[in-house]
Amino acid sequence: MRQHEQKIREIIRKMPLTDKIALCEGASFWETKAFPEYGIPAMFLCDGPHGLRKQESKARADMLGVHQSAKATCFPAEDVIASGWDPELAGKIGKAIGEEALAQDVSVVLGPGVNIKRNPLCGRNFEYFSEDPVLAGELAAGFVRGLESCGVGACLKHFAANSQEKSRFNSDSVIDERTLRELYLPAFERAVKKGKPSAVMCAYPKLNGIHCSDNRNLLTEILREEWGFDGMVVTDWAAMNNRIEGFRAGCDLNMPGGSNYMGKETIRAVQGGKLPEADVDRSAGRILSLAFRSADVRSRYRKAEDEAALYEEHNALAGEAAEQGAVLLKNEDGILPLSGREKLAVIGHMAKDMRFQGSGSSHVHAVRVSQPLSYFRNAAYAEGCDKEGNTSDRLLSEVRKKASESDRVIVFAGLPERYESEGFDRTDMQMPEGHLRMIEAAVSANPETVVVLLCGSPVECPWADRVKGILYLGLPGQAGGEAVFRLLFGEINPSGRLAETWPIRYEDCPSASFYGKTRDALYLEGMYSGYRYYQKAGQKVRWPFGYGLSYTEFSYSDLKIEKPSGRWHPISAEKPEFTVRFVVKNTGKRAGAEVAQLYVEAPQDGVHRPVRLLRRFQKITLEAGEEKTVSFLLNRRDFAMWQDRCIVPTGTYRIAAGKNCDEICMRKEIRIEGEDVSRSENAEKKSWYDTCKGIPCRKDLEQALGKPIRIQRKEKGTFTMDNTILEMKDSSLVMRMLYQAVKTFLAVKCNGRQDPQNPEFRMQLASSVGSPLRCLQISGGLRGGLMQGLLEIANGHYGKGIKKIIFG
């Protein structure tokens, strides 16, 4: 902040190099360093993309949501917030989390997550908004604005191209520049420019061979110089690769603290002229700026006299978000809403023990939880399956009996906790066999069946044609129980729309044949993931992006475009160029909300481009018979593509308005005078991207990259601190012993069992034996040469390794 600029310059001038470097590493797992002698306060950073996870105990701090945290409101996960298509509502959630952060003395909230949903199996998809960067960016910007309005810093994450959990600590995201610029960076750009977060978190993986923490092009040239970000960059926990390169790149704060990772090497680099001290000064200055601003906010904060009332208000907001984000996927014969006069059967363990959030660092110790079954007081109930999704003939017999004796059946099903978590990806898109059998038993006994889905990402639904109603609730947060009751009985009209495509089966996904098969993430499909692929390939889906039903109907009419006069110029890339207007009318008999979606369809007669792309959207509420005119401003950037820079090809484009990406209600053509774009020399040959037919291969990506892909394979004698225990154990006795020791230790922590179905065990195992040695050193707060010594021994240098361990 400006009022602190002079003070910051003075402090940096006085601080010795050792203190400045120390300032740029945390003091503990969650706190930054305080330097009372300079008047520098500490900051507390805290997980919280959909609710705070503040851990008070320094001895039992973790980044995986394992140990207990202070109670907080658990809002719906990002998959539900995204389905609400409402940036203003996202802002209210951000503000509420900010209010709780102030009450718990938290300076920076680590969220929201803005990574693009590339593949349905990513174990952390529930923490991300969408497969589309416009939707994800607008929602993130709204959330950030709400959080920052309280004076609490938002930390946008994970920057960038971090769309899988497999080998996330040391994988390499190999991706061509055009795909990066058109799909994986724009959500971050929109959130930075429109939300103005205080911090950005760099991701674990490499990006085209360079660790994100070391990547100057990413952290300085793009983030700061192109987008104008002026805040602090912090590592994901233990994501720092090389602190010297990190300072050069603009990575400011290494978290967590305690290890003094590469502190001595960094001092020597500055003293030897290999690292300019000015780079350290800049990072220190950015940390100080946020620390002083945060201290100012905390000094003015006064706790609410009635804290219970605050949490009551936030619980109501959590319920509203769950209601707004629920998606009605099917409503045959108007089976919903229920009238209240039906004799009901409620089926499923999740009805009494709702899965309302995901596992991992976003896991919230909820203030309270409403369970669906408690609202169906007069309904018959059959458990149907256990918590893990297993069933039995006895349980299924009870399901059939209760279903056959009822007028309507409500089945709660989806994915148990062990299926979705930070730390590992799903192996397929299938629901548990017990849930499938439970649905089959219910519908065979009574075709008047509705399924309520509780899961954070798409699942295969082979039963979809047999049931009459499907309501996707996602992971609805602590107030989800009451929300689903109000939705089913029509107190709330469903208005959610899917923020990602639901394929019929996993094999239909463009990356299904190679996603997660190798340590490195090869983005062979390029920009053609999600609806971009399904439309280009003509691949039928279960439910398209933007899809959702209502208890009423809407019509679209009177599309008008006010065109600009004359030729457009590249200098006005983000200046509004013309206006699109159309009318949306509620033609049904009850009030409801519609999400009006505006797409741009680019010409398909030159360089390959997606069939259509979302460019604007607006959620509007209409009374029965009411109509409103929706108005959008478009600019040159909305027609652009990337070819070494942002350009707009000359051609005839179509402006399309509709209810989802497949259901276009109106379109009009418009001629754009831009640049003549020719295919690059490397793209002269037809590639998979031109048609999206078949399966993309490595040659397609190599053609887009303009160079061959080289996958490094490490062998004994060449292992580095970037290798994991898992990678080294097959050729190193010491790593095999360490692997078994870690598994045994974790089994004791997880009820004494090495249970591969236990998400806590799987997550901790993946985050320990699957972490590079440098990550283990940082996250464990390990000083000295223990990890370097073990590395030397793994490489066969036993004497050198023992010396490292003893003498550091």
Side-chain angles (χ1 to χ4, degrees), residues 334-518:
I335 191 172
L336 296 175
L338 301 171
S339 68
R341 297 184 297 273
E342 303 93 345
K343 184 179 180 182
L344 296 178
V346 175
I347 309 295
H349 180 87
M350 285 184 175
K352 70 173 184 179
D353 186 12
M354 173 183 63
R355 179 156 177 258
F356 62 95
Q357 64 175 321
S359 298
S361 61
S362 68
H363 193 275
V364 179
H365 185 191
V367 172
R368 62 205 251 196
V369 180
S370 67
Q371 298 295 350
L373 188 59
S374 64
Y375 294 91
F376 292 87
R377 293 184 179 89
N378 298 319
Y381 174 67
E383 188 168 22
C385 59
D386 63 18
K387 184 176 182 179
E388 302 301 324
N390 303 311
T391 192
S392 65
D393 291 341
R394 179 186 63 80
L395 289 172
L396 294 177
S397 177
E398 184 186 16
V399 168
R400 284 187 283 268
K401 181 177 184 300
K402 295 291 175 64
S404 65
E405 294 172 349
S406 303
D407 299 325
R408 302 278 170 86
V409 183
I410 312 296
V411 180
F412 287 80
L415 293 177
E417 188 178 36
R418 64 189 171 93
Y419 281 74
E420 295 177 288
S421 172
E422 178 180 354
F424 57 86
D425 294 325
R426 284 194 285 164
T427 57
D428 54 48
M429 264 181 61
Q430 296 174 18
M431 294 167 61
E433 183 182 357
H435 282 210
L436 297 176
R437 294 178 66 194
M438 177 175 67
I439 294 171
E440 174 61 30
V443 75
S444 64
N446 189 336
E448 301 294 313
T449 295
V450 173
V451 173
V452 176
L453 279 172
L454 290 154
C455 47
S457 49
V459 293
E460 293 177 4
C461 302
W463 42 265
D465 293 336
R466 296 200 61 198
V467 302
K468 286 198 171 181
I470 305 172
L471 181 66
Y472 174 55
L473 207 61
L475 299 180
Q478 67 179 46
E482 182 177 0
V484 70
F485 180 83
R486 285 162 56 83
L487 288 157
L488 291 174
F489 282 87
E491 293 180 29
I492 298 294
N493 190 345
S495 61
R497 303 293 183 263
L498 292 178
E500 59 187 311
T501 307
W502 282 50
I504 295 173
R505 55 184 193 138
Y506 178 61
E507 289 75 16
D508 297 336
C509 301
S511 55
S513 63
F514 51 85
Y515 177 88
K517 298 296 196 305
T518 58

Side-chain angles (χ1 to χ4, degrees), residues 29 77 85 111 159 181 238 245 256 266-267 338 366 400 411 423 442 445 479 482 499 524 535 577 592 616 693 748 800:
F29 208 87
W85 288 63
F159 193 56
R181 291 286 192 158
E245 294 303 320
T266 305
I267 292 170
L338 301 171
R400 284 187 283 268
V411 180
E482 182 177 0
L524 305 182
Q535 292 186 334
E577 294 285 354
R616 299 289 185 274
K693 300 295 184 182
V748 172
K800 193 174 179 180

Side-chain angles (χ1 to χ4, degrees), residues 177-178 181-182 226 640-647:
E177 181 76 4
R178 184 180 169 196
R181 291 286 192 158
E182 292 190 29
E226 287 187 28
M641 60 172 286
W642 185 267
Q643 198 174 74
D644 298 324
R645 56 189 175 87
C646 190
I647 62 173

Side-chain angles (χ1 to χ4, degrees), residues 1-5 7-9 11-12 23 40-41 43 108 151 198 230-232 281-297:
M1 295 179 69
R2 292 206 171 147
Q3 62 263 41
H4 296 302
E5 286 180 1
K7 179 167 66 173
I8 290 170
R9 282 195 293 268
I11 290 172
I12 290 175
L23 174 66
I40 299 172
M43 293 184 288
V108 179
S198 295
D230 61 358
M232 176 185 77
D281 291 349
R282 276 189 287 270
S283 288
R286 289 188 283 256
I287 294 170
L288 289 175
S289 180
L290 184 52
F292 286 132
R293 191 199 79 172
S294 176
D296 287 345
V297 171

Side-chain angles (χ1 to χ4, degrees), residues 426-665:
R426 284 194 285 164
T427 57
D428 54 48
M429 264 181 61
Q430 296 174 18
M431 294 167 61
E433 183 182 357
H435 282 210
L436 297 176
R437 294 178 66 194
M438 177 175 67
I439 294 171
E440 174 61 30
V443 75
S444 64
N446 189 336
E448 301 294 313
T449 295
V450 173
V451 173
V452 176
L453 279 172
L454 290 154
C455 47
S457 49
V459 293
E460 293 177 4
C461 302
W463 42 265
D465 293 336
R466 296 200 61 198
V467 302
K468 286 198 171 181
I470 305 172
L471 181 66
Y472 174 55
L473 207 61
L475 299 180
Q478 67 179 46
E482 182 177 0
V484 70
F485 180 83
R486 285 162 56 83
L487 288 157
L488 291 174
F489 282 87
E491 293 180 29
I492 298 294
N493 190 345
S495 61
R497 303 293 183 263
L498 292 178
E500 59 187 311
T501 307
W502 282 50
I504 295 173
R505 55 184 193 138
Y506 178 61
E507 289 75 16
D508 297 336
C509 301
S511 55
S513 63
F514 51 85
Y515 177 88
K517 298 296 196 305
T518 58
R519 186 184 86 164
D520 291 336
L522 305 182
Y523 286 63
L524 305 182
E525 78 282 5
M527 71 181 72
Y528 295 102
S529 65
Y531 72 90
R532 292 165 180 75
Y533 163 74
Y534 296 109
Q535 292 186 334
K536 187 93 170 183
Q539 176 66 55
K540 187 178 179 182
V541 300
R542 178 73 68 185
W543 296 294
F545 171 79
Y547 176 83
L549 302 175
S550 170
Y551 295 152
T552 188
E553 298 291 335
F554 300 94
S555 68
Y556 287 59
S557 64
D558 203 20
L559 176 62
K560 294 179 180 177
I561 302 175
E562 296 178 8
K563 302 179 184 179
S565 59
R567 183 183 176 88
W568 283 359
H569 301 284
I571 196 171
S572 60
E574 295 189 16
K575 177 183 175 183
E577 294 285 354
F578 65 88
T579 304
V580 179
R581 293 188 176 91
F582 54 89
V583 175
V584 179
K585 182 176 182 178
N586 182 343
T587 58
K589 296 180 180 179
R590 61 188 300 159
E594 170 71 333
V595 178
Q597 301 167 38
L598 189 71
Y599 294 83
V600 168
E601 300 176 345
Q604 299 290 309
D605 55 357
V607 177
H608 71 83
R609 301 187 72 177
V611 173
R612 68 179 60 96
L613 293 172
L614 179 73
R615 285 298 177 246
R616 299 289 185 274
F617 62 90
Q618 184 179 343
K619 192 168 191 176
I620 53 174
T621 300
L622 299 169
E623 296 295 325
E626 183 184 8
E627 64 179 40
K628 287 183 182 177
T629 298
V630 181
S631 179
F632 297 112
L633 295 175
L634 291 179
N635 57 49
R636 192 172 184 79
R637 179 77 178 269
D638 295 313
F639 300 87
M641 60 172 286
W642 185 267
Q643 198 174 74
D644 298 324
R645 56 189 175 87
C646 190
I647 62 173
V648 177
T650 296
T652 299
Y653 294 75
R654 294 190 296 184
I655 310 299
K659 299 181 178 182
N660 58 68
C661 73
D662 281 356
E663 191 174 353
I664 300 301
C665 302

